Amino acid sequence: MKHSYISSVLLVSAIVVSSHSYSKNNAPVRENIYLGQKPPGLTPKIFAPNLIKKGFRAAAAAFSPDLKEFYFRRRGGEYKKNTLVFIQYKDEQWVESVLPPRAGQPFISTDGQVLHLGKTYRERVGSGWSEVKSLGAPFDDMPIMRLTASSKGTFYFDEATEIGNIRYSRLVDGKRTLPQSVSKEINTGKWTAHPFIASDESYIIWDSERQEGYGDNDLYVSFKQSDGTWGAAINLGDKINSKHQDSYGSVTPDGKYFFFHRSYGSRGEKADIYWVDAKVIESLRLQQ
């Protein structure tokens, strides 16, 4: 397929192996959030092209709740394998740090204390992260790529298979329930994956390959109905989706912007991270 970038998590240390600084002299730092970038409108544009190296595969974006830490995966050039990169606002400049290769797909919990990496995670320790820990059974035996969590601690996650199956697991009295599949409306098509759950669980975003799509993987959203069920799968449209692989959608912690990445090349070996005003998501509520 498609998911040629899938890899297992082999983050074995929190030691930074390389870093770069982007000071006020060589980057347009306007604010101490969003890497100092000028906000987009309703048309997607590439995020921070001056800081995220062009020509590489840049994918799987995630922000910390204070918006001063930006995480993504990079591959290409000297980065032979997927490498977890984070750019942090520190001492009035943006500092890039690189962690060991073959990184999981990042997501930071709503309280900022957990860095999820599929079926593994790290906990916040001071200004850094703990060593990688396992979620344990039954998640250890599942081929999870992306896992996101609501403010209630409910996990939504995928699996690295062609059919695809997005599941969820709630946190009840401190214990995690057995994973269950979400609705058929969502688990339809091929390569259904990379779910993003809203913090209040009012909507879910994912990508899938469907006949009615615009090309390869398209991004979809479903809104929670008044009876607790999931509504119809709504394609995000041709301003977001293209003939390429459009995937890994998420909304920033402040609810203002929608991020996704677009893969291209003969094997999806290149990708760029895009952002757009999150009004494109809210406007789709009227279509349900």
Side-chain angles (χ1 to χ4, degrees), residues 192-261:
T192 299
H194 312 127
F196 170 81
I197 187 66
S199 61
D200 62 358
E201 300 186 42
S202 62
Y203 61 85
I204 184 173
I205 297 170
W206 74 99
D207 50 88
S208 184
E209 182 182 331
R210 300 188 179 195
Q211 288 185 347
E212 74 274 13
Y214 290 91
D216 285 333
N217 289 38
D218 279 11
L219 285 153
Y220 292 84
V221 63
S222 174
F223 295 96
K224 185 68 69 69
Q225 305 299 292
S226 58
D227 62 359
T229 62
W230 288 108
I234 303 174
N235 189 294
L236 266 58
D238 59 3
K239 286 189 176 181
I240 303 295
N241 293 309
S242 68
K243 65 179 182 179
H244 301 294
Q245 299 172 33
D246 299 289
S247 57
Y248 210 91
S250 64
V251 174
T252 51
D254 60 1
K256 290 184 177 180
Y257 304 106
F258 175 65
F259 274 71
F260 66 99
H261 72 245

Side-chain angles (χ1 to χ4, degrees), residues 52-59 75 245 261-264 268-274:
I52 300 176
K53 297 179 181 179
K54 273 297 262 183
F56 293 86
R57 179 178 174 82
R75 192 175 72 216
Q245 299 172 33
H261 72 245
R262 178 171 296 158
S263 302
Y264 54 97
E269 68 273 14
K270 295 184 179 180
D272 293 314
I273 296 171
Y274 287 79

Side-chain angles (χ1 to χ4, degrees), residues 3 14 31 39-40 58-59 62 108 110 121 128 130 133 150 172 187-188 213 218 224 233 246 264 274 283:
H3 296 289
E31 306 174 58
I108 301 178
T110 57
Y121 67 98
S130 70
K133 301 180 180 182
S150 71
V172 180
N187 285 324
T188 297
D218 279 11
K224 185 68 69 69
D246 299 289
Y264 54 97
Y274 287 79
S283 66

Side-chain angles (χ1 to χ4, degrees), residues 159 277 284:
E159 62 179 32
D277 195 305
L284 295 174

